[in-house]
């Protein structure tokens, strides 16, 4: 499954540079995938919705691989000082799916 950031986030920004998939964005910021920009009104290409936040950092499910293919554990969760990066119950995915996403992201350059 993807990782999500809860409202416990203190906006420290420690997670963003650690993400190998550029899946983490600052609150209110547009996110990008395959050369296209998305904002708070857009669903993700996968149909995922409700992940955007104007108030704290957020993770785009279409770009999160739980760090599969890069690291043994989610790097955002590893560095978060308040433990607000948690598994997202709305985006449960198996390892095969996550690794396929990593390959897709490799192919488009993220
Ligand atoms: Fe990025 Fe890894 Fe966190 Fe997913 S789990 S948002 S890929 S750092």
């Amino acid at each position: 499954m993807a990782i999500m950031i809860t409202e416990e986030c203190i906006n420290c920004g420690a997670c963003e540079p650690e993400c190998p998939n550029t899946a983490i964005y600052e609150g209110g910021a547009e996110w990008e995938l395959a050369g296209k920009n998305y904002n708070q009104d857009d669903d993700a290409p996968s149909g995922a919705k409700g992940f955007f936040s104007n108030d704290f950092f957020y993770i785009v499910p279409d770009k999160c691989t739980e760090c599969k293919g890069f690291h043994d554990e989610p790097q955002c969760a590893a560095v978060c000082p308040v433990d607000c990066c948690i598994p997202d119950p709305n985006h449960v995915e198996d390892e095969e799916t996550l690794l396929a996403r990593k390959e897709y992201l490799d192919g488009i350059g993220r």
Side-chain angles (χ1 to χ4, degrees), residues 1-5 15-16 18-24 58-60 63-68 70-71 73-77 85:
M1 67 189 76
I3 301 296
M4 64 176 283
I5 296 174
C15 57
E16 185 183 8
E18 300 301 323
C19 179
N21 289 313
T22 65
I24 303 175
Y58 67 93
I59 294 173
V60 177
K63 300 181 78 175
C64 177
T65 65
E66 289 180 39
C67 288
K68 297 285 186 203
F70 292 101
H71 305 286
E73 60 177 346
Q75 295 301 286
C76 51
C85 302

Side-chain angles (χ1 to χ4, degrees), residues 92-107:
V92 178
E93 295 159 318
D94 60 21
E95 180 158 350
E96 191 181 350
T97 302
L98 293 166
L99 287 173
R101 177 173 303 135
K102 191 242 178 210
E103 272 191 38
Y104 166 70
L105 293 169
D106 284 347

Side-chain angles (χ1 to χ4, degrees), residues 10-50:
I10 58 171
N11 282 318
C12 73
C15 57
E16 185 183 8
E18 300 301 323
C19 179
N21 289 313
T22 65
I24 303 175
Y25 291 83
E26 192 167 2
E30 290 192 339
W31 60 278
E32 184 184 350
L33 178 63
K36 188 174 171 199
N37 282 14
Y38 298 83
N39 63 35
Q40 61 181 333
D41 299 323
D42 299 316
D43 294 345
S46 68
K49 55 183 74 179

